[in-house]
Amino acid sequence: MSRGNEYGAGTPDFGTDHAVPLLQQVLGAALGMDVFVVVVDLTLAIRVPAMAPLDSRSRDSVDTAWVAVADLAARLG
C-alpha cells in the first residue's frame, strides 16, 4: 500500500491510518482471506516540494518494502 504520509509508531500521525485496518477487516475478517500488508510511506516526498526534506526517509521506506515483498514472495512460493 502506498501512502503519501507516514503512520507508523513514533510518527505524529500514528494511529490515524484508516486504509490498512479497513482492508484487513474487509479482506481478512469478512472474506476470510490471508492479508499481507507491505506499506511504502511518504510517497509524495519526491513530488511535493514542501516534503523534500523527507525524501531520504521515503527512499528508505521503498527499500524496506522491496525487502518485505521479496521475503513474502519467498515464503508464499
Side-chain angles (χ1 to χ4, degrees), residues 1-66:
M1 170 163 285
S2 170
R3 306 188 296 194
N5 200 356
E6 60 184 343
Y7 302 95
T11 65
D13 291 313
F14 176 68
T16 62
D17 176 16
H18 303 290
V20 171
L22 176 64
L23 289 173
Q24 290 171 320
Q25 178 66 30
V26 172
L27 298 176
L31 297 177
M33 300 171 75
D34 291 329
V35 178
F36 303 93
V37 178
V38 176
V39 296
V40 179
D41 287 326
L42 299 169
T43 56
L44 295 176
I46 61 172
R47 293 186 185 92
V48 177
M51 295 182 74
L54 303 172
D55 184 58
S56 65
R57 287 186 15 213
S58 172
R59 294 178 193 281
D60 289 345
S61 181
V62 169
D63 292 342
T64 300
W66 275 112

